[in-house]
Amino acid sequence: TLFRSAFGGSTVVTTYSKELKRFVESTQPRTKNAYMLIYKRAPIQSTVQSQTVASAAVKEPQTLQISSDSMTSDGGVEPSLQRVVDLVKIRELNRSDSTSPDQTLAVPSRIRRFVWDDNMQFLQTRHIFNSQMYDFMLKLISSLETAPNMSYDPATDPTKLTLLSDQILSVATTFAFDILARGRNTADTFARFTEVLRNHYKQSVPLCRWFLSVLSMDNRWIVECLLECPFANVRKEFSTVLTTAFSVLSSFEKDIFTKVIETDSTQSDQQRTSYHVALVPRVMDIFVDLLELSTQYWKHFSEFFSIFYWFANGSHEHRSYLMQVHTIAKLIDLFLEDYSPFVGTQNAHFGIRSNRKPRYRMGNKFSDPDFYTLLSAVATLVVHCSTDARTGSLDQHVENGYSRIPPTTRFGPNQIMFDLANPVHASDRKALLSRAFYTKSMDSDGYIEPLTTVVLHWSWMNEEFSKSVIQIVLDGFSRSSWDSIKPFCAVTTAIIDIKDSLQSLRVETLLNAESGLLGQMFRSRQKREKFTYVLIKFVLRLVEENESVGRFMSEHTDSWVWMEAWLEHAISTESTTLSSTNGSLGPVTLCRQDSGAATVQELKKQYQKAGGRTVHRSKFAPTVAEPVSTVEPVDAGVDAVKRLQEAFHRRTEEVVQQQQKQQHQSAP
C-alpha cells in the first residue's frame, strides 16, 4: 500500500533468535520508503514587484534589459520574462538591509548558501568519481620514473616527503583509498592502481614510512578498507599494499623493533601509556586494539586477520612482537566468544569479561563467521613456540630413532635447538589448553588444517595433552552423525601418525575395545547402522595407511570379529529397505562395496606383516577382558579378514543382480 511504501514508520518482523532457539517478533523501522516533497510558488505582490524592478534598473542597469517589444499593452511584462524579474527581486531583497515585511518572500541567505555549497559539492563529486579521472590518475602514477630511494633516517619526520614523486604518490594513495575504492565498477582499475603503487612502495622507504605513519595516527583507512568495506577486492588490495610497506620497513627497523617510549601516565585509560618507536609494530598496535571492534564485521573480516597471519609468517622479530602482546590468547578469546576461558575473570591483558554483558554476537541463521585465517595465524604462531613436551627422556627418545623436536616446529635459521623457541605466556597456554577451543574447532570441517597443525605440535611427547585431545575426539564421534565426523577423522589420522614414543599408546587409546572407536562401533551397531559402517571403512583405511594401527588390529582380533556377522545382517535385503534418513544403510551406498573388498585385501596384507601378538595395556584407559582363544592370533585375524572379504564380494554380486532385475522389469 501507499502508506507502507511511502510514509516510513515501523513494522513488525519475525526473525530467528540463536539464543532463544525460536522465532521472535520485533519492531524495526521501514528503511525502504519514498517521500514526496511538493513546493507551491508564492505569489508576488505587484507593489513589491515594481519597486524591485525599479531598484534593479537603478543599481544594475546592465543586469536586466526589457525591450518595448516585451511590454504588454497595460505596461506589464511578458510571462516568458516573469521568472527573470522574480530572480532579480529575490536577489535585491537579499542584498537589502531593511526589515520590510515584504522580504519574507526571499530565500534566506543561510539556506541559499547551503544549497549552493551542496550543489557545488555534488558537481565536484561527479568530476572526481568519473572514469576519466580514474584513468588520468592511473596514467599519472604509471608514467612516474622514480629512482630507488632506500635511505632510512628515523630522526626525520615521516609525514614530510621531500621528493616530488613521493608527494604525488602520497596523493595517489589517498585517492585510491578515499575515492577509487568507493567507486562503482572499478575492480579492475583499482587492482591495476594498487599494483603500480606497490611497485613504487618497494623502491621508496620514505613513502612506506609516510603510509604507516598515517595509519598509526588515524585508523580510518584500516577500519573502512579492511572491516567496513563489503567488497573483497578492496580489502585484499589494501592488505597487499600494507604488507608491502611492512616488508620494506621491517629490515630497516629490525634494531629498534622492540624499543618502546613511555608516555605521560596521567593520560586517560583509553589511550596507550607507551608506543613503539618503529612504525611497523606501531601499526600492529592499531590492529590489536581493533580486535574487539572486528567482531561487528564478522561477515568479511578474513582480510583483517590475514595481516596477523602475514605477521606470524614473517621474521623472528614479527613473531616475538605477537607473542609479547599475547596474540594467541587474544585471537582464541575472540574465536570462542562467550565460551572463552577468560570470560568472567579478571586478566591484566584482557580486562574483565562479564557473563552478564556478552560481546557482540557473531553469526546468524544464514551463515557463520569464517575463522580460517584467524586460526591459521594461531597455528603459525604455535609451531614457532615451545611446548609442554616430556623432555626428561629425550636422549633415549632420540636414540630410538625419533625426532628431537616436534615435526611441525618452524624455527628461524639461527634456531636449531628446541629450547630456543619462543616461550608461551601463561595466558596463551591457558587458551591453547582450553577444551572449548578444540571442541569448537572440530565442529566445522573448514578448520581441519590449522587445527591438526596445533594438535600435532602440542601432542608430540606430551602424554597429558594427547589424552585430552583423544577424549575430545572420542566425545565428538559419539555425539556426531555419520556425515559430520570428517573433522574427528582428520584429527584421528593426524594424531596417530606422530612418530614418537607415545604413538602406540595413542593408537591403543583411540581404538580401545571399551572406550575407543571399536567400543563405539560395537555399541552403536544396532541403532546407528550407517555410522557404524562409515567408521568400519575409516578404520580399514587407517590399517592400510598406518602400520601401528594394523599391528594393533592384528593383536586384538577378538575386539572386532563381530563385524562379519554385523555386515551380513546390515547389508541384507531386509536392511536395504530401511530409509537412509534414519542412519541405516541404503542400496545406493551398498553398491560401492567393491571398494571395501579391495581395502580388506590390503588389511589382510597388513595383518600378515604384523607377526606375533603382544598386548600393551593402555595407560589412558582400561581394556575389556580378552577371551581365551586356542587359535593363533595372526591366523585368526587372517581368517576373519578372509570371511569379511567373502561377505563383501557376495553382497556386491547380490546388489548387482537386484539392479539388473529391476532394470529388466522396468523396461517396456
Side-chain angles (χ1 to χ4, degrees):
T1 61
L2 180 62
F3 176 80
R4 293 185 177 182
S5 302
F7 297 150
S10 59
T11 183
V12 178
V13 297
T14 302
T15 57
Y16 182 80
S17 175
K18 296 183 65 176
E19 298 180 355
L20 302 177
K21 297 183 179 180
R22 61 183 177 87
F23 288 92
V24 296
E25 293 183 351
S26 60
T27 302
Q28 296 183 359
R30 293 195 186 101
T31 57
K32 296 182 179 180
N33 56 74
Y35 292 90
M36 181 177 294
L37 185 60
I38 301 176
Y39 293 90
K40 182 178 180 181
R41 183 181 297 277
I44 301 178
Q45 299 179 4
S46 59
T47 57
V48 177
Q49 172 183 335
S50 59
Q51 296 174 1
T52 303
V53 173
S55 176
V58 173
K59 294 182 179 181
E60 295 186 16
Q62 301 300 326
T63 303
L64 180 64
Q65 299 179 357
I66 303 177
S67 63
S68 58
D69 297 337
S70 302
M71 303 293 292
T72 59
S73 60
D74 56 354
V77 183
E78 290 290 344
S80 60
L81 296 178
Q82 186 63 46
R83 185 170 182 273
V84 179
V85 174
D86 294 343
L87 291 175
V88 173
K89 166 192 169 296
I90 292 175
R91 183 179 61 181
E92 294 304 324
L93 287 176
N94 287 331
R95 291 181 179 181
S96 176
D97 295 331
S98 63
T99 57
S100 172
D102 296 333
Q103 295 182 20
T104 56
L105 296 177
V107 178
S109 59
R110 178 177 58 84
I111 297 179
R112 189 182 75 255
R113 285 195 303 269
F114 172 78
V115 173
W116 179 263
D117 294 340
D118 186 66
N119 289 338
M120 292 299 296
Q121 181 63 37
F122 174 75
L123 183 62
Q124 182 182 8
T125 302
R126 289 194 60 183
H127 287 313
I128 294 177
F129 288 91
N130 186 281
S131 59
Q132 295 180 352
M133 185 66 175
Y134 302 157
D135 295 338
F136 167 74
M137 292 297 296
L138 180 59
K139 292 179 181 178
L140 176 63
I141 62 175
S142 300
S143 61
L144 283 177
E145 296 181 359
T146 58
N149 184 6
M150 307 305 288
S151 60
Y152 177 81
D153 185 5
T156 59
D157 186 358
T159 62
K160 297 181 179 180
L161 299 173
T162 57
L163 295 180
L164 178 61
S165 58
D166 289 341
Q167 296 175 3
I168 295 175
L169 291 172
S170 66
V171 174
T173 302
T174 304
F175 176 82
F177 300 131
D178 279 344
I179 305 299
L180 191 57
R182 306 171 189 270
R184 295 181 179 179
N185 303 322
T186 60
D188 295 338
T189 304
F190 188 73
R192 286 183 287 144
F193 202 97
T194 53
E195 182 181 2
V196 176
L197 283 180
R198 290 196 304 271
N199 293 332
H200 286 295
Y201 272 59
K202 293 176 182 178
Q203 299 181 358
S204 177
V205 171
L207 186 61
C208 294
R209 294 188 67 215
W210 169 85
F211 180 58
L212 295 187
S213 65
V214 171
L215 297 181
S216 64
M217 292 184 293
D218 186 3
N219 63 7
R220 181 174 61 87
W221 279 350
I222 298 177
V223 174
E224 292 179 355
C225 296
L226 283 181
L227 293 176
E228 294 180 352
C229 181
F231 305 111
N233 68 299
V234 174
R235 302 194 302 269
K236 180 180 178 181
E237 295 298 334
F238 179 84
S239 63
T240 56
V241 174
L242 178 57
T243 53
T244 300
F246 278 164
S247 301
V248 172
L249 283 187
S250 293
S251 58
F252 294 95
E253 297 182 340
K254 182 177 180 180
D255 296 334
I256 60 173
F257 210 84
T258 58
K259 187 177 180 180
V260 177
I261 296 180
E262 299 293 335
T263 59
D264 188 2
S265 60
T266 60
Q267 292 181 347
S268 62
D269 295 337
Q270 300 297 328
Q271 297 179 350
R272 286 184 171 269
T273 59
S274 63
Y275 65 92
H276 287 84
V277 176
L279 288 171
V280 175
R282 195 187 304 177
V283 173
M284 282 306 300
D285 287 339
I286 304 296
F287 278 85
V288 174
D289 294 339
L290 291 175
L291 281 175
E292 196 72 23
L293 178 65
S294 67
T295 58
Q296 301 180 22
Y297 306 97
W298 58 269
K299 291 185 178 180
H300 39 69
F301 60 12
S302 294
E303 286 77 14
F304 176 81
F305 291 110
S306 68
I307 303 300
F308 288 89
Y309 179 69
W310 181 92
F311 224 74
N313 281 284
S315 64
H316 174 68
E317 288 75 21
H318 292 103
R319 288 185 293 274
S320 297
Y321 163 82
L322 293 178
M323 297 304 297
Q324 289 175 3
V325 298
H326 315 288
T327 305
I328 293 178
K330 291 180 179 180
L331 293 182
I332 294 179
D333 173 66
L334 187 147
F335 170 67
L336 295 179
E337 300 181 84
D338 293 338
Y339 297 97
S340 169
F342 305 103
V343 171
T345 61
Q346 185 173 3
N347 188 284
H349 307 288
F350 294 96
I352 298 178
R353 298 296 195 202
S354 174
N355 289 322
R356 293 173 296 179
K357 296 181 180 180
R359 289 167 290 181
Y360 191 88
R361 182 76 61 178
M362 294 181 285
N364 53 35
K365 64 177 181 179
F366 301 107
S367 61
D368 294 320
D370 184 8
F371 291 108
Y372 182 83
T373 309
L374 182 150
L375 294 178
S376 297
V378 172
T380 304
L381 286 176
V382 167
V383 298
H384 287 90
C385 298
S386 58
T387 66
D388 294 339
R390 184 186 65 190
T391 58
S393 59
L394 186 58
D395 294 336
Q396 183 66 30
H397 180 80
V398 175
E399 292 179 1
N400 293 334
Y402 300 112
S403 173
R404 187 177 183 85
I405 60 176
T408 54
T409 302
R410 300 178 189 174
F411 294 154
N414 297 324
Q415 291 181 288
I416 57 176
M417 298 298 294
F418 180 63
D419 56 354
L420 295 181
N422 293 312
V424 180
H425 190 268
S427 59
D428 297 333
R429 186 187 308 275
K430 182 178 181 180
L432 284 173
L433 298 181
S434 172
R435 180 184 178 90
F437 172 62
Y438 299 96
T439 301
K440 184 175 181 179
S441 300
M442 294 182 194
D443 285 342
S444 173
D445 57 2
Y447 309 140
I448 292 177
E449 182 178 354
L451 172 64
T452 53
T453 301
V454 175
V455 170
L456 286 174
H457 188 73
W458 271 77
S459 296
W460 181 84
M461 292 293 291
N462 192 334
E463 183 175 336
E464 183 178 358
F465 181 80
S466 298
K467 175 182 177 180
S468 301
V469 172
I470 288 174
Q471 188 58 50
I472 294 174
V473 170
L474 293 176
D475 292 343
F477 274 118
S478 63
R479 71 172 186 272
S480 302
S481 58
W482 66 270
D483 56 348
S484 60
I485 61 175
K486 183 178 179 180
F488 308 105
C489 293
V491 175
T492 300
T493 304
I495 199 171
I496 65 175
D497 199 43
I498 301 176
K499 301 297 189 295
D500 63 357
S501 59
L502 301 177
Q503 184 178 22
S504 59
L505 295 177
R506 297 191 191 97
V507 171
E508 186 174 353
T509 305
L510 279 165
L511 300 177
N512 191 275
E514 181 177 346
S515 59
L517 287 182
L518 293 179
Q520 287 193 20
M521 287 188 289
F522 181 77
R523 290 188 295 271
S524 62
R525 68 192 188 283
Q526 295 180 352
K527 296 183 178 181
R528 305 171 66 189
E529 291 184 351
K530 196 159 190 176
F531 173 81
T532 304
Y533 173 75
V534 173
L535 278 187
I536 291 176
K537 296 286 291 181
F538 172 64
V539 172
L540 292 179
R541 182 172 63 83
L542 291 181
V543 172
E544 180 181 359
E545 298 175 353
N546 193 291
E547 183 178 355
S548 298
V549 177
R551 185 182 303 109
F552 175 85
M553 293 292 286
S554 66
E555 295 170 353
H556 298 81
T557 54
D558 52 308
S559 300
W560 55 269
V561 291
W562 57 270
M563 294 181 184
E564 178 191 1
W566 181 87
L567 284 173
E568 286 285 353
H569 171 74
I571 62 179
S572 62
T573 306
E574 292 79 12
S575 179
T576 57
T577 60
L578 298 176
S579 173
S580 61
T581 58
N582 62 2
S584 301
L585 294 175
V588 178
T589 305
L590 295 177
C591 292
R592 303 183 61 183
Q593 295 294 344
D594 52 346
S595 62
T599 305
V600 174
Q601 181 63 29
E602 182 64 24
L603 174 63
K604 179 178 178 180
K605 298 179 182 178
Q606 295 290 345
Y607 279 160
Q608 292 174 345
K609 295 179 182 179
R613 174 174 183 169
T614 304
V615 179
H616 300 280
R617 295 296 181 183
S618 173
K619 295 184 179 181
F620 298 143
T623 57
V624 296
E626 300 179 5
V628 179
S629 176
T630 58
V631 184
E632 288 296 326
V634 177
D635 294 339
V638 174
D639 185 60
V641 171
K642 183 178 180 180
R643 292 197 299 269
L644 284 176
Q645 182 181 5
E646 293 175 353
F648 275 128
H649 283 294
R650 182 167 60 255
R651 184 52 193 163
T652 301
E653 294 177 357
E654 294 177 359
V655 171
V656 173
Q657 293 177 0
Q658 291 179 3
Q659 290 181 342
Q660 293 176 352
K661 184 177 180 181
Q662 292 176 357
Q663 294 176 358
H664 179 73
Q665 293 177 353
S666 60

